[in-house]
Amino acid sequence: MCGICGIYNFKSNTPVSSDQISKMYGVMKYRGPDDEGYYIDNISPLGFGHCRLSILDTSSKGRQPMISDDGTIILTYNGEVYNYVELRERLLSKGYHFSTGTDTEVIIQMYREYGEGCLDFFIGMFSFALWDKKNNKLFMARDRLGIKPFYYSITDDGIVFASEIKSILTALSVKPEANYSALDSYMSFGYVPGENTTFNNIHKMLPGRYMSISDNYIQIRQYWKLNFNEEADRGETYYIEKTKELIFDASKIRLRSDVPLGVFLSGGIDSSTVVALLAGELTEPIKTFSVAYDKGNDFDETEYARLISNKFKTDHHEFYVSPYEFRDLIPKYVWHMDEPVAEAASISLYLIAKLAREFVTVVLSGEGSDEMFAGYKIYYYMAAMELYRKIPGKVREKILDPLAGMVSKKKLSRFIQLAKKPLSLRYLGVPLYDLALKESLYTKEFNLEINSSVMDIINPFYEECRGQNPVNQMLNLDIKTWLPDDLLIKADRMSMAQSLELRVPFLDHRIAEFAARMPVRYKLKGKSTKYILKKAMEGLLPEEIIYRPKKGFPTPLKLMFQNELVDYAKQVLLDTQTNQRGYFNLSSVEKMLDDHKNGVLNHEKIIWQLIVLEEWHRCFID
């Protein structure tokens, strides 16, 4: 795992200097503290940089940018191609030779053999840039599901790219500016989905894409796409066994490492599954790590993590976060994230990564299981609304009358109001932010600056799955927005901030393709989320782990913004500097803070969003 960067002035042919490149990788040196290097070919318009976290072949032979034995291919690469051993054997049989034990050299030789088609063979997480001197071509790619980041900016001279935005900022001659439409996306989702970022003229390469530049022509292509086409039902036993087989193989192949590794263990089914499947594969006890808040059982899952640790005899470590530690880390969190992302659990992840780095260099975690196997309760509620919408009006009344005595009027009213809308208008992603509240905070002037709508972003993903099961429609949206642009950005930044490599076996593309074909009834069965995974783990994990309610690094934002962090929130959000940006009505923000403090309404999500946005401005724009 590493940090990559580069400049290619294909428009102006302006030479790239070593100073430019060293500044680019220097600002993200924590991504690769073990080694560094750059490549510039004489007075060349192209330069690559790299900072290395040594995982495979930790000798100096693995230094990057790596140059092929004939000097015609140069590669700067971030990630892991886990099946490099099998690919190396394939290439050896074709007469290729290797001088290192790295997957980096395997990528170079695979490109020599298969060109751009090499991407189809890789199992792993990666982003890289490859210079093909023979064909005068720059080839850049990102892994299928977007586990590893790749940012770029098209300039008057050519292109600047890197693993992190702050690296690109060091190479640009213009002052960073906020992208107002992307800020509105952030306020709508809690992150920015798609190609845009909150910086003007800085973009993400989307997952499953590659970009090539030759003859001054830029071409972006999609080499992989996840399609939700249910196959004919093969029976529950088949899906149970296949799920178990794929997860075990994906976890086992991610043990390939020349440095110590461990597992982030929350005590939920996802991380517990990884521990259970790997327990017999290692000669020493697995090192496991948990984090919690001392705010009651709702924010502390350590008893379940200990249960798994005791069962599988892991070497277990725990960390407790205080509200003041949380507050003090917010600016650092924003700095490492580059963009505003309202994922409060990131700070917990930052701290557990810091703890883990004292013992290991690689960790595995359960990220992605919910998106693969429908793990969020909201999928059930939204699917129930679809069924409700199909019921004739008079029959609905007969159903609602008895329901009215079973649930609160407020919940029933919200259900009915949401059910009036089609799925594409009521489900915008897992966080389910209140768009009306967002819009009530905007100033008229800021509203005029916004030139795109939320539905412009959402509609294409619903169009891809038109006519399919509602659960698959929601999964498709979340896998292509929420997963890469929120969860995986968080996972990458918070682990790399501590020079720790995070591996996510549930996001093996073979599991993604299998789950996308699987009939929905095996993912969501009645109210049972992740049904097939739970069945697959019966007999391997304790029942209280498999069937307990999901939490997942819960953060006590509501309590903290009513108690310890009240003054901090007011100091940031009611500050003159904040108000002068012209985004939000000061009186509306003040009322929202007071209503939350006094328990009138729970505004924890929007308060956190606004704080992260303001801290981002102070860090990058001011």
Side-chain angles (χ1 to χ4, degrees):
M1 199 63 62
C2 309
I4 66 170
C5 59
I7 302 171
Y8 182 29
N9 294 326
F10 64 91
K11 295 179 184 177
S12 66
N13 281 319
T14 304
V16 177
S17 73
S18 58
D19 277 353
Q20 287 177 297
I21 299 298
S22 62
K23 283 178 183 176
M24 288 186 74
Y25 65 70
V27 77
M28 55 177 179
K29 193 70 173 66
Y30 45 81
R31 293 186 72 94
D34 297 331
D35 200 357
E36 62 187 62
Y38 66 85
Y39 168 83
I40 294 173
D41 188 7
N42 296 321
I43 304 174
S44 169
L46 179 132
F48 282 174
H50 190 271
C51 49
R52 184 186 183 203
L53 181 64
S54 303
I55 304 294
L56 299 172
D57 190 344
T58 59
S59 74
S60 60
K61 290 181 180 181
R63 176 174 293 167
Q64 294 189 47
M66 185 175 284
I67 304 172
S68 63
D69 52 8
D70 65 355
T72 63
I73 295 174
I74 300 89
L75 176 68
T76 183
Y77 156 57
N78 168 34
E80 300 289 348
V81 172
Y82 301 113
N83 63 330
Y84 77 100
V85 175
E86 292 78 9
L87 295 177
R88 182 187 175 107
E89 289 301 316
R90 172 193 284 261
L91 291 166
L92 285 170
S93 70
K94 291 176 177 287
Y96 285 87
H97 301 282
F98 292 86
S99 58
T100 77
T102 66
D103 55 338
T104 310
E105 190 176 16
V106 170
I107 292 174
I108 288 174
Q109 303 291 43
M110 286 293 290
Y111 177 80
R112 293 173 82 171
E113 178 67 18
Y114 299 103
E116 294 164 352
C118 66
L119 298 170
D120 297 333
F121 293 88
F122 299 153
I123 298 173
M125 54 182 186
F126 54 83
S127 64
F128 65 75
L130 181 150
W131 177 239
D132 181 344
K133 288 182 75 171
K134 278 185 180 178
N135 297 299
N136 202 39
K137 180 170 76 171
L138 179 61
F139 174 52
M140 298 161 283
R142 189 179 181 195
D143 65 69
R144 295 171 179 85
L145 287 157
I147 303 168
K148 290 289 102 185
F150 190 99
Y151 296 95
Y152 68 94
S153 179
I154 303 299
T155 69
D156 291 340
D157 291 316
I159 188 171
V160 181
F161 66 86
S163 297
E164 297 191 7
I165 292 173
K166 65 177 68 68
S167 175
I168 291 175
L169 295 178
T170 69
L172 298 181
S173 58
V174 295
K175 185 179 182 294
E177 293 182 348
N179 178 339
Y180 290 141
S181 292
L183 293 185
D184 178 60
S185 293
Y186 166 73
M187 290 302 299
S188 302
F189 300 100
Y191 60 95
V192 181
E195 293 177 294
N196 288 328
T197 72
T198 45
F199 295 88
N200 270 335
N201 197 37
I202 296 181
H203 307 281
K204 308 165 203 162
M205 185 187 295
L206 294 178
R209 267 72 169 182
Y210 71 78
M211 179 189 301
S212 61
I213 303 176
S214 60
D215 299 324
N216 293 349
Y217 178 67
I218 300 175
Q219 187 174 56
I220 298 177
R221 288 184 175 173
Q222 184 170 8
Y223 68 88
W224 183 83
K225 183 178 180 181
L226 187 63
N227 295 309
F228 282 84
N229 295 315
E230 287 190 34
E231 64 185 8
D233 194 337
R234 301 191 185 193
E236 186 170 299
T237 301
Y238 167 80
Y239 292 107
I240 289 172
E241 293 305 315
K242 191 67 176 176
T243 297
K244 198 182 299 185
E245 173 193 325
L246 284 171
I247 295 171
F248 177 71
D249 186 66
S251 299
K252 186 177 178 181
I253 201 172
R254 281 161 178 79
L255 291 178
R256 290 175 173 174
S257 168
D258 293 332
V259 294
L261 53 81
V263 178
F264 284 157
L265 177 60
S266 69
I269 186 174
D270 306 330
S271 58
S272 299
T273 294
V274 175
V275 170
L277 293 177
L278 295 183
E281 294 298 311
L282 299 173
T283 55
E284 296 181 0
I286 302 172
K287 288 182 169 57
T288 53
F289 307 92
S290 298
V291 65
Y293 288 82
D294 190 12
K295 286 281 187 180
N297 291 336
D298 288 343
F299 307 99
D300 186 350
E301 300 182 275
T302 52
E303 65 171 298
Y304 299 105
R306 289 176 203 142
L307 191 158
I308 291 298
S309 175
N310 291 334
K311 179 175 176 60
F312 295 102
K313 297 180 173 54
T314 76
D315 178 9
H316 191 57
H317 306 266
E318 295 174 356
F319 187 90
Y320 278 83
V321 188
S322 77
Y324 300 109
E325 282 177 299
F326 180 93
R327 176 199 63 195
D328 294 343
L329 278 171
I330 293 171
K332 188 173 285 187
Y333 156 68
V334 170
W335 160 253
H336 281 292
M337 290 297 288
D338 282 347
E339 287 195 271
V341 178
E343 185 63 48
S346 299
I347 290 180
S348 304
L349 184 55
Y350 177 90
L351 288 166
I352 194 176
K354 185 177 182 181
L355 171 65
R357 190 61 176 92
E358 296 176 16
F359 302 91
V360 300
T361 311
V362 175
V363 287
L364 281 71
S365 79
E367 257 97 1
S369 171
D370 294 311
E371 291 73 28
M372 297 299 105
F373 298 110
Y376 300 114
K377 279 291 182 186
I378 194 170
Y379 296 144
Y380 163 74
Y381 293 119
M382 289 292 163
M385 287 176 195
E386 285 297 290
L387 294 175
Y388 173 81
R389 285 168 56 83
K390 295 177 181 178
I391 300 172
K394 289 183 179 180
V395 180
R396 286 185 195 177
E397 292 175 12
K398 292 180 181 179
I399 294 173
L400 290 178
D401 285 341
L403 268 179
M406 297 167 60
V407 298
S408 69
K409 287 183 179 180
K410 185 177 178 181
K411 283 187 177 180
L412 188 59
S413 174
R414 178 165 172 74
F415 182 93
I416 294 169
Q417 290 303 314
L418 279 173
K420 288 178 180 178
K421 300 177 182 179
L423 183 64
S424 60
L425 292 179
R426 71 172 184 271
Y427 185 76
L428 307 181
V430 174
L432 205 65
Y433 286 93
D434 188 344
L435 299 186
L437 178 58
K438 170 201 79 170
E439 288 157 5
S440 73
L441 296 175
Y442 284 177
T443 62
K444 290 180 181 178
E445 294 77 14
F446 183 52
N447 251 323
L448 293 173
E449 296 284 354
I450 299 165
N451 57 18
S452 65
S453 74
V454 169
M455 300 319 300
D456 291 338
I457 298 169
I458 293 298
N459 281 334
F461 299 105
Y462 278 109
E463 285 298 321
E464 287 178 354
C465 288
R466 182 177 290 279
Q468 293 197 33
N469 186 291
V471 173
N472 279 342
Q473 292 185 49
M474 290 184 281
L475 288 172
N476 184 61
L477 174 66
D478 289 337
I479 287 171
K480 294 172 183 177
T481 57
W482 154 261
L483 181 66
D485 297 324
D486 184 304
L487 295 186
L488 293 176
I489 289 292
K490 169 198 76 176
D492 173 81
R493 294 300 197 284
M494 295 300 96
S495 58
M496 293 309 298
Q498 303 294 350
S499 307
L500 184 75
E501 176 170 295
L502 180 62
R503 298 178 174 181
V504 282
F506 281 105
L507 292 179
D508 189 299
H509 76 275
R510 298 169 298 172
I511 293 176
E513 291 170 347
F514 167 71
R517 294 191 304 269
M518 183 191 299
V520 166
R521 68 176 67 88
Y522 296 120
K523 289 180 275 193
L524 184 65
K525 194 163 190 175
K527 288 187 177 182
S528 180
T529 57
K530 285 191 287 200
Y531 173 78
I532 204 70
L533 178 62
K534 292 173 180 176
K535 295 298 290 184
M537 290 301 108
E538 285 182 354
L540 191 60
L541 292 177
E543 293 272 314
E544 61 256 62
I545 295 294
I546 296 174
Y547 293 105
R548 75 181 184 88
K550 177 180 175 58
K551 288 185 181 179
F553 282 162
T555 306
L557 284 178
K558 178 184 177 182
L559 296 175
M560 291 194 294
F561 289 139
Q562 288 176 330
N563 297 284
E564 297 94 343
L565 303 190
V566 168
D567 291 340
Y568 164 73
K570 287 187 174 182
Q571 181 185 349
V572 173
L573 299 183
L574 303 181
D575 184 71
T576 303
Q577 182 183 18
T578 309
N579 191 38
Q580 286 175 344
R581 300 195 194 284
Y583 299 155
F584 309 109
N585 292 302
L586 186 64
S587 58
S588 300
V589 174
E590 192 166 15
K591 183 179 185 304
M592 179 189 66
L593 290 170
D594 288 339
D595 284 349
H596 182 85
K597 179 186 175 183
N598 297 326
V600 178
L601 289 168
N602 180 8
H603 290 310
E604 61 178 289
K605 286 185 178 180
I606 195 79
I607 292 171
W608 175 239
Q609 269 185 278
L610 293 175
I611 285 172
V612 171
L613 181 61
E614 177 55 26
E615 292 283 11
W616 173 80
H617 274 84
R618 295 179 184 187
C619 184
F620 290 101
I621 304 300
D622 296 341

